[in-house]
Amino acid sequence: MRVDETIALAAIMQAVVAKLYKLIKQNLGFRLYRRALIAENKWRAARYGIGGKLIDFGKQEEVDVKVLIQELLEFVDDVVDDLDSRQELKYIDKIFEMGTGADRQIKVWEKSYDPRRLWILL
């Protein structure tokens, strides 16, 4: 991963924690899902990356990862300015355009089929 990608992901996690804390302080809850369902989405994310689909448990259907990420960004939007991380989260759009570190590694693999070259970033 590139530094900007790491910072953007850290900013998302920080915003999620801040949002959940805000909900708890307001005595509001959020849904809890079974571990097996979460594991399914974790596998899908690892296998297909941002080009894949995850299960939206609320809608009970598959949804594009990018759509779910946009929904997550909307969910945390009210805490982002307090965290001063709006600029860092804008980098998510660049990740959508350029792909992820995994996408870059796949390109290297497809060009060389040499596992030693997987650490080279394009």
Side-chain angles (χ1 to χ4, degrees):
M1 288 180 59
R2 295 181 174 143
V3 172
D4 290 336
E5 294 167 341
T6 303
I7 291 169
L9 294 178
I12 289 176
M13 294 303 109
Q14 180 188 41
V16 168
V17 170
K19 176 67 175 201
L20 295 178
Y21 179 74
K22 181 178 180 178
L23 290 174
I24 290 170
K25 289 209 41 131
Q26 295 172 348
N27 203 28
L28 298 173
F30 44 91
R31 291 184 178 165
L32 298 175
Y33 294 101
R34 291 191 342 241
R35 189 175 298 238
L37 295 174
I38 303 299
E40 171 65 20
N41 270 352
K42 183 178 177 182
W43 182 86
R44 287 168 175 249
R47 173 63 180 92
Y48 301 110
I50 64 170
K53 294 184 177 202
L54 299 178
I55 299 170
D56 182 319
F57 302 125
K59 295 177 186 172
Q60 297 183 351
E61 64 186 33
E62 289 183 326
V63 178
D64 290 337
V65 168
K66 291 179 182 179
V67 171
L68 288 174
I69 292 171
Q70 289 297 339
E71 288 180 12
L72 178 63
L73 292 172
E74 290 170 17
F75 174 71
V76 301
D77 189 68
D78 63 321
V79 299
V80 170
D81 291 326
D82 292 339
L83 299 169
D84 196 26
S85 59
R86 189 163 301 278
Q87 190 63 36
E88 289 77 8
L89 290 176
K90 284 183 181 180
Y91 197 81
I92 298 300
D93 291 330
K94 288 188 179 186
I95 294 172
F96 287 165
E97 292 171 20
M98 300 181 322
T100 65
D103 295 325
R104 290 189 297 277
Q105 284 187 333
I106 289 169
K107 285 179 186 177
V108 169
W109 173 254
E110 289 173 346
K111 285 182 180 179
S112 68
Y113 297 104
D114 182 356
R116 295 171 294 179
R117 296 187 52 84
L118 290 178
W119 299 105
I120 297 172
L121 297 178
L122 297 176

